[in-house]
Amino acid sequence: MTAPHGFSVSRYAPERGTLARLTARDSMVRRLDWPMLLSALALSGVGSLLVWSATRGRTELNNGDPYYFLFRHLLNTGIGLALMVGTIWLGHRTLRGAVPILYTVSIVLILAVLTPLGATINGAHAWIVVGGGFSLQPSEFVKITIILVMAMLLAAKVDAGDQIHPDHRTVAKALTLAALPMGIVMLMPDLGSVMVMAVIVLGVLLASGASNRWVLGLIGAGVLGAVLVTTLGMLDEYQINRFAAFANPDLDPAGVGYNTNQARIAIGSGGLLGAGLFKGSQTTGQFVPEQQTDFVFTVAGEELGFVGAGLILVLLGVILWRACRIARETTELYGTIVAAGIIAWFAFQSFENIGMTLGIMPVAGLPLPFVSYGGSSMFAVWVAIGLLQSIRVQRPMTA
């Protein structure tokens, strides 16, 4: 058959194939959750400015280069974006099949921290120094692994149509696999990460439809574990002091309570609109320790005021809202559990980080997602965004 003007129809077959691929890519781009993606990008952008403000005058940290931390934070964000794209390209369903490998690698990495390869930073022996001034905190990636391994187990029979809810044996197996890396991280000790992981496990169980007895039992086990950890002296002295300072803010304001007191002064001095970027007296005077990481929210409070700090809360809220929509709209339990685990992670870690700067939560050494300086944490949260986007992109289209 000949097309008009003497052109062969077969000549256009490759172009139709190319058009189909372009259409599929365009469809995938359109199905991305853009409010979530843009909010995460905005948070990383604001974080870059806050990190820059907190470190540009810290010559003992930046080796005389005021742009040192800014460039590294932007680099970390760029790598995180690449990891997000890679996660979307692979897809959460493909990663489901690779969970045993990812789990094994995670265990090996956190065990390596307990060997001479590990390094102590800010009191926690939770890092691996990889050279060139770069370090890796494996516990950040363990959060993702716990979500994926529990989702794989709890959703397997339900998604296959064999069960309505996970049975007791499956739940016990999932909790055992989650407890192993949590126990290793506790030995570092990295109490803050263990707290986040415990909340993740609770969120995953609630989303899986497991019996309420497991949820209540997990809460009871958490309370009992906290009591045993305290009474058996498993916490380091600096961790005990942090809880003591939280219980009594007036306890040793120049010592264990110094960080929290200075953080509250910085945030309180910002007022409605703040002192202006690079103009905060607490920040430029370097009164708040670890201001580019754990206490980065104090820079926002002092220099951007209530409005700027509130914007960070709004952007975090948008991410959580869109993640909740993704968890609700997906048609597979596996995707729902993964999304719920990420929601629990982001929500609790954000609340804990901001809460400790306001004095309503104990200091736990947790970064503010997308905002705080740190490669491992930045990479992990962007991989999580990639998982959420993959769940949204791969869900069946509704009429």
Side-chain angles (χ1 to χ4, degrees), residues 44-53 55-56 62 65-77 278 373:
S44 293
V46 171
S48 299
L49 293 175
L50 300 180
V51 168
W52 186 19
S53 178
T55 58
R56 64 194 185 95
N62 61 28
D65 181 3
Y67 301 101
Y68 177 80
F69 282 93
L70 172 63
F71 289 153
R72 287 174 69 103
H73 189 79
L74 292 173
L75 175 62
N76 291 337
T77 302
F278 309 132
Y373 175 80

Side-chain angles (χ1 to χ4, degrees), residues 219-229:
I219 295 174
V223 173
L224 178 61
V227 173
L228 290 176
V229 165

Side-chain angles (χ1 to χ4, degrees), residues 182-399:
M182 289 174 64
I184 299 173
V185 173
M186 190 65 205
L187 294 175
M188 295 179 181
D190 187 356
L191 182 60
S193 293
V194 172
M195 290 168 58
V196 176
M197 293 173 193
V199 173
I200 287 173
V201 171
L202 181 61
V204 164
L205 280 184
L206 288 170
S208 71
S211 171
N212 290 333
R213 286 179 291 178
W214 282 105
V215 177
L216 295 174
L218 181 63
I219 295 174
V223 173
L224 178 61
V227 173
L228 290 176
V229 165
T230 303
T231 56
L232 296 177
M234 296 178 64
L235 296 179
D236 283 351
E237 183 178 358
Y238 81 94
Q239 293 173 320
I240 297 174
N241 290 338
R242 285 177 173 178
F243 282 101
F246 168 68
N248 182 10
D250 296 327
L251 176 67
D252 193 12
V256 296
Y258 178 82
N259 289 17
T260 302
N261 287 331
Q262 293 300 320
R264 294 172 68 180
I265 291 172
I267 294 174
S269 65
L272 180 63
L273 299 177
L277 195 63
F278 309 132
K279 297 179 180 179
S281 59
Q282 290 289 111
T283 300
T284 56
Q286 304 173 15
F287 290 104
V288 184
E290 308 302 332
Q291 203 169 15
Q292 74 274 18
T293 53
D294 300 346
F295 288 90
V296 71
F297 190 74
T298 63
V299 186
E302 181 182 28
E303 299 189 344
L304 304 181
F306 179 81
V307 173
L311 175 62
I312 291 177
L313 295 177
V314 169
L315 292 173
L316 287 168
V318 171
I319 292 174
L320 293 174
W321 163 51
R322 303 303 296 184
C324 286
R325 285 196 59 176
I326 290 172
R328 185 177 67 250
E329 293 175 356
T330 184
T331 57
E332 56 181 4
L333 181 61
Y334 175 73
T336 298
I337 293 176
V338 171
I342 295 171
I343 292 166
W345 165 16
F346 284 6
F348 177 77
Q349 187 160 316
S350 299
F351 178 77
E352 164 61 32
N353 177 276
I354 295 173
M356 72 184 188
T357 65
L358 299 174
I360 62 174
M361 291 293 287
V363 176
L366 292 173
L368 184 59
F370 303 100
V371 182
S372 292
Y373 175 80
S376 299
S377 60
M378 186 67 78
F379 303 158
V381 295
W382 277 110
V383 168
I385 292 294
L387 287 170
L388 290 170
Q389 296 286 1
S390 172
I391 295 169
R392 176 179 169 84
V393 167
Q394 295 188 14
R395 79 180 192 274
M397 293 292 288
T398 56

